[in-house]
Amino acid sequence: MTNKITILSIESSCDDTSAAVIRDGLLLSNVTASQSVHEEFGGVVPELASRAHQQNIVPVVDASLRRAGVDKRELSAIAFTRGPGLLGSLLVGTSFAKGLALSLNIPLIEVNHLQGHIMAHFVHPAGSMISANPKLQGIEFKHPDYPFLCLLVSGGNSQIVLVRAFNDMQIIGQTIDDAAGEAFDKCAKVLGLPYPGGPHVDRLAKLGDPKRYPLAKPNIPGYDYSFSGLKTSFLYSLRDQMQAEGVDSIDALAEKVPNLREDYCAALQTTVIDILLRKLKKAANDLGIRQVALAGGVSANSGLRAALLDYARRYHWQAFIPPFSFTTDNAAMIAQAAYYKYLDGEFCPIDAAPYAKTTI
Ligand code: KG4
């Protein structure tokens, strides 16, 4: 037996089944199976997601242990995402983690999914993992110092979090209706783009004129966000174009109006980024914090990444953006949070039930 701390983590909160192995704070593997079954429905279907997790979990955990070169008898603890997320999906990961921990007689560690996203900034892949993955090569794995502000933007959340420590986080602003990712996905659906729409908006926005179709910006006090008005403004603007051109479908409109989808995507992306970063700037100014970080699936957006770096240059911030593979749902971030909890002796009882909703 070794004295090394080796943790297997499982993430199954939505539609990605992921398992990772971390040893003494270094990430050894991170394997994720995504679910294409939802594409034809234009959104995640919870029942289908749970079934796909059941099919994926054994091969994903197995691949993660093999890639890490770790035998399950070497594990010190099993970590899992307890919530928030889809209850059926969470149940698959939670039950699997409990069964494995019981059979190996090792402790369980629960991780809050949102805290996990923020801990993605502290993931440090081992040299063996970096050399095996070209996408991780050349990246400088620097992490922010506490306290820092984290803009957490995903399909279900848009929050500004004041992070004082791995176990001391405070949401200081959040969306009062839709999340930023939801705005991307729903507007993309209106444009007839596949699910999830965020990456398609990102791709098309690069070819569009952001000023051609001005969209509404909300006026919400404090650090809170709202994206539902933007969504409505997007819909009404397209409806007006359709009426003006005398057509009744987006495809027909796109045939008549050159660069239609590209220009709408550019307008949407620029507006979302502007809304997100203005509030982040206000929070950074008010709190006198100069270290800012991005987390969550929407932080994969190339426009948001570039805009954050631009703000950082202008306002003398130090900006932190995780590598792409650690921005969308993944078990590496859960493993990192679990490693800190292990060091702190924070284990959870075997009857810990998953939760669908919670704050940080
Ligand atoms: O954090 P995440 O993987 O899942 C949860 O919300 O749980 O985030 C998914 C969201 C989706 O809304 C997706 O459209 C968005 O992240 N997303 C993007 C991009 N890549 C993923 N949004 C904009 N640009 C992208 N490149």
Side-chain angles (χ1 to χ4, degrees):
M1 277 305 266
T2 65
N3 291 325
K4 292 179 186 299
I5 300 167
T6 310
I7 301 171
L8 169 76
S9 66
I10 293 166
E11 153 66 36
S12 72
S13 63
C14 190
D15 60 341
D16 292 304
T17 320
S18 187
V21 176
I22 191 170
R23 174 169 278 168
D24 287 344
L26 281 184
L27 184 71
L28 299 182
S29 67
N30 179 46
V31 176
T32 303
S34 300
Q35 304 175 0
S36 54
V37 63
H38 308 287
E39 277 165 19
E40 64 177 291
F41 300 101
V44 177
V45 184
E47 178 55 29
L48 296 181
S50 333
R51 287 188 209 180
H53 281 303
Q54 281 182 317
Q55 284 170 349
N56 292 340
I57 192 135
V58 172
V60 164
V61 167
D62 188 50
S64 181
L65 287 169
R66 262 188 296 112
R67 279 192 208 172
V70 165
D71 185 278
K72 60 182 185 305
R73 282 163 301 200
E74 294 173 66
L75 294 173
S76 323
I78 310 287
F80 65 98
T81 303
R82 187 170 173 189
L86 299 172
L87 219 42
S89 293
L90 288 163
L91 264 173
V92 178
T94 307
S95 311
F96 189 92
K98 288 178 181 178
L100 195 55
L102 269 180
S103 70
L104 296 170
N105 197 23
I106 53 176
L108 263 181
I109 302 173
E110 55 136 336
V111 174
N112 175 301
H113 180 75
L114 304 174
Q115 289 185 347
H117 268 304
I118 294 173
M119 284 300 113
H121 285 279
F122 296 82
V123 170
H124 204 300
S128 55
M129 196 179 160
I130 296 175
S131 51
N133 184 349
K135 287 191 184 149
L136 294 178
Q137 286 162 20
I139 295 175
E140 213 187 326
F141 288 94
K142 283 188 308 170
H143 61 78
D145 293 324
Y146 300 118
F148 64 93
L149 285 178
C150 187
L151 177 62
L152 174 54
V153 270
S154 68
N157 296 281
S158 296
Q159 305 174 330
I160 300 177
V161 184
L162 171 59
V163 188
R164 297 191 196 90
F166 83 90
N167 55 1
D168 184 2
M169 301 185 188
Q170 183 190 351
I171 298 171
I172 58 168
Q174 61 189 320
T175 180
I176 58 167
D177 41 53
D178 293 345
E182 215 173 333
F184 275 127
D185 294 342
K186 288 186 175 158
C187 291
K189 193 170 173 184
V190 172
L191 283 178
L193 299 173
Y195 177 84
H200 297 281
V201 172
D202 192 354
R203 177 175 50 84
L204 292 176
K206 293 189 178 101
L207 310 169
D209 173 2
K211 297 209 172 85
R212 179 126 180 243
Y213 303 110
L215 300 170
K217 283 188 192 154
N219 193 4
I220 307 289
Y223 309 130
D224 283 342
Y225 290 117
S226 165
F227 291 100
S228 68
L230 168 63
K231 225 174 48 186
T232 311
S233 142
F234 188 89
L235 198 65
Y236 284 2
S237 171
L238 266 172
R239 186 197 58 187
D240 293 347
Q241 297 295 325
M242 278 161 67
Q243 275 171 0
E245 295 293 337
V247 294
D248 60 4
S249 77
I250 291 294
D251 284 342
L253 186 64
E255 272 181 29
K256 286 197 162 190
V257 180
N259 231 34
L260 179 94
R261 288 191 172 91
E262 290 83 350
D263 289 342
Y264 268 101
C265 285
L268 174 67
Q269 182 167 302
T270 307
T271 311
V272 170
I273 293 171
D274 192 53
I275 295 169
L276 289 172
L277 292 187
R278 272 171 193 259
K279 289 285 170 96
L280 184 64
K281 181 180 153 219
K282 178 171 165 51
N285 279 350
D286 292 353
L287 299 174
I289 292 184
R290 292 280 162 269
Q291 298 212 48
V292 292
L294 274 186
V298 179
S299 61
N301 184 271
S302 60
L304 179 59
R305 288 171 167 247
L308 184 79
L309 294 177
D310 186 47
Y311 267 63
R313 263 188 304 273
R314 276 193 277 156
Y315 304 116
H316 311 289
W317 296 347
Q318 220 185 330
F320 297 86
I321 306 176
F324 279 102
S325 41
F326 304 141
T327 54
T328 48
D329 289 349
N330 67 85
M333 65 191 198
I334 304 302
Q336 191 64 40
Y339 175 67
Y340 294 134
K341 285 191 150 191
Y342 187 100
L343 295 179
D344 242 30
E346 264 192 64
F347 303 111
C348 82
I350 199 74
D351 61 354
Y355 46 76
K357 283 196 191 314
T358 183
T359 63
I360 268 175

